[in-house]
Amino acid sequence: MELQTKHLGVMEIEKEQILTFEYGLPAFEEETAFVLLPFSSDEVFFILQSVHTPELAFVMTDPFQFFEDYQVEVSDSVIEQLNIETQEDVALYTILTLQDPFSSTTANLQAPIIINMAEKAGKQVVLSDSPYQTKHHIFPQNNSDDAQQKGAR
């Protein structure tokens, strides 16, 4: 089927690529069908594109690429809702807030996207009682004062 995307133009996708988010995403509860598309050739960045609304797309990444010690405990109710049987079926992503410059981009570690790739079912989970926030820089940030003190221009 043909899919109009926000960032990649018109693409051809297979019906089997469609991921179902039974309850949508927070603030987008009516959006229940998405596809996961590569956004970079190195498979670091992805797009979670709505099947029904071309302008609704989220840039995501595998958080472990940037935060090696990131930990998510998936509740039994989420495991049941997504019909997760093995850890190998699970993909975990975080939504990025793109900034200009790109080096200031942040990741929402407090609300990861969990996808059972075998079942094509996903859910955004808000981690309560977690040390994570909605904006964690994915790249080290240079303090401009430190840079000036070290002779940077």
Side-chain angles (χ1 to χ4, degrees), residues 90-151:
V90 177
L92 190 130
Y93 298 94
T94 53
I95 293 178
L96 300 179
T97 301
L98 301 180
Q99 301 291 334
D100 187 15
F102 185 72
S103 60
S104 295
T105 293
T106 59
N108 179 351
L109 297 183
Q110 190 176 43
I113 301 284
I114 299 171
I115 301 172
N116 179 341
M117 299 304 279
E119 296 288 326
K120 302 295 183 198
K123 180 177 181 66
Q124 184 171 26
V125 178
V126 178
L127 304 175
S128 56
D129 298 326
S130 106
Y132 303 114
Q133 300 172 359
T134 58
K135 294 186 185 281
H136 290 265
H137 286 96
I138 63 172
F139 299 110
Q141 298 298 293
N142 292 330
N143 183 326
S144 60
D145 293 336
D146 289 346
Q148 287 177 352
Q149 289 175 3
K150 294 178 181 173

